[in-house]
Amino acid sequence: MAAGASELAHLVDRFGDVTVRDLAWLLFAPDLLRKGDAELAHPFASAPERETTLAWLDALDAAPQALHDHARNPKSTRLGIYAESLLRFFLANGPAARLIAANVPLRYQRRTIGECDFLLEAANGAQLHWELAVKFYLHIDGEDASRAVRLSDYVGPNLQDRFDLKHARLVTHQLALSSRAEFAALGFGGPWRAQLFIKGRLFYHGLNGARIEPAPEIGADHLRGWWLTASEWREARANLPGDDRAWVVQPRMAWLASRRLEAHAAQTLVAESDAMRARLENTLAPTMIAAYARDEAGSWIEQSRGFIVPDDWPARARAFAASAP
């Protein structure tokens, strides 16, 4: 029961608290993958559970301190850890499932061989093992334009990760942990149904996010963004709206749900937009930005997200993607 992009934006906007918005995004965003080699996880199994969860989030939005205390760690800038803490809070306190254990380590001959992210009991009594992944990849075209898109064509912005590698790790190793003898020896009983809880966004070349046919493993409704090189960003500046558009650099911990812009903050960003655009033209590392537009009521609404990458990034990304077998 994941939401499409427009429905997700409308749903998230009902919440005012940033952390509650991130949790709602995690629960309702469409899966990055189709059901295939792995069974996909669903936070709620029925329409009534979905509505009960929304009511629970409404109450949490009115009094979010417990969520803040659990999920916000000023010393941590790891998005995966943050997302994990959000999902753990939902499973421990929400209305749709019961958390049995989290971050369960498996050891073989005193060596840690893996860790089960979540063990839970669904409302229908099913015992589930969830593995969580929140990923953001940029699609890079191959040298052969006629070739079908592959998972290896989706690369991490810093070129240290690739979707095919992550997919293989999740399916062949992480999801298999609860079926190993080392897990059985821990005394959690079973059997456990292993499921993949995978969210995120994929970014395509061009300011409008090219509507190319994704790799066959990718979910049909996955969230999309765009990317431009620094030079392309420079050329596009002349055609970008001015007074009714604000561009905001998104720190890593703000990569999940859309954000709201207060009027005074947006006006400041518009005033500084030329300086920010100039900085992005000389970027040394891929940088995520969000575009906000002012609506008829004067509110500032997020319209899209994208990356500005250095001019040499596409060649390096293409080589990284081509190294796949």
Side-chain angles (χ1 to χ4, degrees), residues 19 48 51-52 65 68 77 80 82 97 139 155 196 209 247 252 254 264 267 275 284 309 313 317:
T19 313
E51 293 307 309
T52 301
Q65 191 58 51
H68 293 178
T77 58
Y82 173 53
H139 172 261
V155 299
L196 182 58
W247 302 86
R252 182 173 292 272
H264 68 278
Q267 293 299 338
L284 298 177
V309 302
W313 185 91

Side-chain angles (χ1 to χ4, degrees), residues 210-270:
R211 301 297 297 182
I212 70 166
E213 186 69 22
E217 299 91 343
I218 300 296
D221 296 326
H222 71 280
L223 296 179
R224 290 176 178 251
W226 50 268
W227 65 265
L228 294 173
T229 66
S231 292
E232 290 168 337
W233 171 255
R234 184 184 306 114
E235 293 173 3
R237 284 181 59 184
N239 299 318
L240 295 176
D243 293 341
D244 61 347
R245 184 67 60 96
W247 302 86
V248 183
V249 173
Q250 297 290 105
R252 182 173 292 272
M253 298 301 284
W255 283 14
L256 301 185
S258 61
R259 298 301 195 243
R260 289 176 175 169
L261 277 187
E262 300 296 336
H264 68 278
Q267 293 299 338
T268 300
L269 290 165
V270 168

Side-chain angles (χ1 to χ4, degrees), residues 140-161:
I140 185 72
D141 291 319
E143 297 291 348
D144 181 3
S146 65
R147 178 179 59 78
V149 177
R150 303 182 301 189
L151 274 185
S152 57
D153 296 328
Y154 295 90
V155 299
N158 292 322
L159 304 181
Q160 296 177 345
D161 186 16

